[in-house]
Amino acid sequence: MAADLKSISYSIIIPVFNEEAVLPILLRRLDLLLDRLHEPAEAIFVDDGSRDSSPLVLQELAKRDPRFRYIGLSRNFGHQIAITAGMDAAQGQAIVVMDADLQDPPEVVEQMISKWREGYDVVYARRLSRAGESRFKRVTAHLFYRVLGSMSSVHIPADVGDFRLIDRKVLEALRQMSEQDRFVRGMIAWLGFRQTEVPFHRLERVAGETKYPLLKMARLAMNAALGFSDAPLRLAIWCGVTVSGLALLYGGWVLVLWISKDRHLVAGWSSTIVVVSLLCGMNMLMTGIVGLYVGRIHAEVKRRPLYVVQKRLGFEREQATPAHSAIRAVHE
Ligand code: UDP
Ligand code: MG
């Protein structure tokens, strides 16, 4: 096992969903990339339940060429799960996740690898520009990263997708995160380690259509917001406090009018409004409090590890986890 792990330096994971149009170009570019890497590398295609000829092409390739591997999921599980399946199978010391449509240029992978050689554990690619994407997608993506950044309890870099390189030890830590609704880029940010970026210009899709329609994008955004922030849960509390506060202020004012026998006071109506809005506010407040408990349950069921150790020194060898000792052998 250990010898096996050491023999492959790089794993390139490519999720594929109905990408027959891009495959010929992708395979040519990948071939060139793997040749240029000068070290043993594997490319893992994860077929995410494609209904076109992609699985056939990729299976043929995997039979012919040992550098290419194929994993076929039983149905469409979504991009994030496909990436996870690829990561679970990766054997390299550095693992790169890349889209199939060549919007993530393979040449950037070489820059990522040189950063990794400098000692960084996570190298993500930051998009300086996005060509060929609709105005709507650009605006929503821009907003998404900003809102998420302000809500999230960990720093999730903006304008960074899943195109990134991670070191084997980050992968081992990621595998301990067994949550169901996965937002992989957030999970890697949560893990920490030494992170850096490589800027790049995101190109147009070489062929075919996007496989991320609005609904899938919305689901990803929802997973990100719910998995990395409890701000939505606390929203009810703040609404409740605001509504109750306003109701109390209004109630005080009504009382003043009543005492001063102001003729503007509508009998019956004002007191009803005060009571209704106060009850509404209290209701929201209570929902918010329940939300706090739900938040705790949510955190528990995610089953994230409590902490992640980057390095251990001075322990007996057998106490160190195999993954960490394997990595140290590479870096030292
Ligand atoms: N993809 C996938 N499963 C899905 C949707 C997409 O494996 O359910 C893959 C797709 O084949 C591509 C990558 O995820 O390799 C990114 O998808 P796409 O390029 O369509 O997204 P966009 O760049 O438009 O956001
Ligand atoms: Mg794309």
Side-chain angles (χ1 to χ4, degrees):
M1 172 88 174
D4 211 7
L5 282 182
K6 277 193 79 175
S7 60
I8 292 182
S9 298
Y10 310 115
S11 300
I12 299 177
I13 297 169
I14 304 157
V16 175
F17 180 50
N18 295 337
E19 298 285 13
E20 63 183 3
V22 306
L23 284 185
I25 316 169
L26 171 70
L27 297 182
R28 214 173 317 128
R29 293 276 291 277
L30 259 184
D31 199 38
L32 293 174
L33 174 69
L34 294 182
D35 279 349
R36 280 200 309 269
L37 293 182
H38 300 303
E39 276 187 69
E42 59 176 0
I44 304 177
F45 296 101
V46 185
D47 163 37
D48 187 16
S50 300
R51 287 177 288 268
D52 64 359
S53 67
S54 315
L56 293 177
V57 175
L58 296 174
Q59 283 172 34
E60 274 310 307
L61 182 68
K63 281 182 205 152
R64 240 187 13 246
D65 190 331
R67 296 172 304 166
F68 295 98
R69 307 189 199 284
Y70 172 84
I71 299 173
L73 301 186
S74 57
R75 64 171 171 85
N76 181 240
F77 281 88
H79 180 217
Q80 301 290 299
I81 304 289
I83 291 177
T84 307
M87 285 179 168
D88 285 343
Q91 295 186 308
Q93 295 304 318
I95 294 94
V96 178
V97 175
M98 202 176 95
D99 283 358
D101 56 3
L102 293 172
Q103 282 194 287
D104 305 336
E107 296 67 39
V108 177
V109 173
E110 292 169 277
Q111 296 173 34
M112 290 176 169
I113 287 175
S114 60
K115 287 278 181 197
W116 175 67
R117 295 227 164 269
E118 283 173 30
Y120 289 99
D121 299 315
V122 176
V123 188
Y124 47 80
R126 185 191 294 278
R127 299 161 182 171
L128 293 173
S129 64
R130 307 167 71 115
E133 284 181 341
S134 68
R135 192 182 185 78
F136 176 76
K137 180 138 186 173
R138 285 206 305 268
V139 170
T140 46
H142 184 86
L143 278 177
F144 166 67
Y145 289 115
R146 269 56 196 185
V147 172
L148 183 65
S150 63
M151 278 167 57
S152 170
S153 44
V154 286
H155 172 66
I156 300 178
D159 304 321
V160 173
D162 286 309
F163 183 27
R164 64 182 65 209
L165 176 150
I166 61 174
D167 185 85
R168 174 123 218 123
K169 62 174 169 254
V170 181
L171 180 83
E172 299 296 347
L174 193 62
R175 281 187 182 157
Q176 293 174 35
M177 299 173 83
S178 58
E179 55 210 75
Q180 292 279 310
D181 292 311
R182 298 175 87 80
F183 181 60
V184 175
R185 59 196 91 157
M187 291 160 70
I188 295 175
W190 182 91
L191 283 171
F193 292 98
R194 285 194 72 198
Q195 311 212 355
T196 189
E197 65 176 52
V198 171
F200 81 113
H201 291 280
R202 193 163 207 234
L203 308 173
E204 244 176 283
R205 210 174 218 287
V206 285
E209 294 286 306
T210 176
K211 307 299 177 304
Y212 248 103
L214 189 59
L215 201 69
K216 275 188 184 167
M217 255 161 49
R219 200 178 303 150
L220 184 75
M222 186 88 88
N223 275 344
L226 295 181
F228 289 90
S229 162
D230 53 5
L233 278 173
R234 277 181 281 127
L235 194 65
I237 291 204
W238 289 114
C239 288
V241 168
T242 313
V243 172
S244 308
L246 289 177
L248 285 177
L249 281 179
Y250 182 63
W253 188 59
V254 167
L255 202 66
V256 170
L257 291 184
W258 183 70
I259 289 169
S260 62
K261 298 205 166 35
D262 193 293
R263 63 189 171 78
H264 293 298
L265 192 67
V266 184
W269 186 83
S270 304
S271 52
T272 311
I273 290 297
V274 171
V275 172
V276 168
S277 46
L278 190 65
L279 285 182
C280 247
M282 296 302 282
N283 215 336
M284 283 190 228
L285 192 64
M286 291 305 156
T287 313
I289 291 171
V290 173
L292 290 183
Y293 287 93
V294 174
R296 290 181 166 233
I297 299 170
H298 181 54
E300 290 292 334
V301 298
K302 271 189 287 195
R303 300 213 148 270
R304 283 186 194 164
L306 289 183
Y307 55 86
V308 180
V309 177
Q310 178 157 355
K311 203 167 190 163
R312 279 163 176 263
L313 284 177
F315 284 92
E316 291 298 320
R317 263 212 176 271
E318 50 273 19
Q319 271 181 285
T321 62
H324 286 156
S325 42
I327 290 133
R328 245 181 260 143
V330 171
H331 279 307
E332 280 162 11

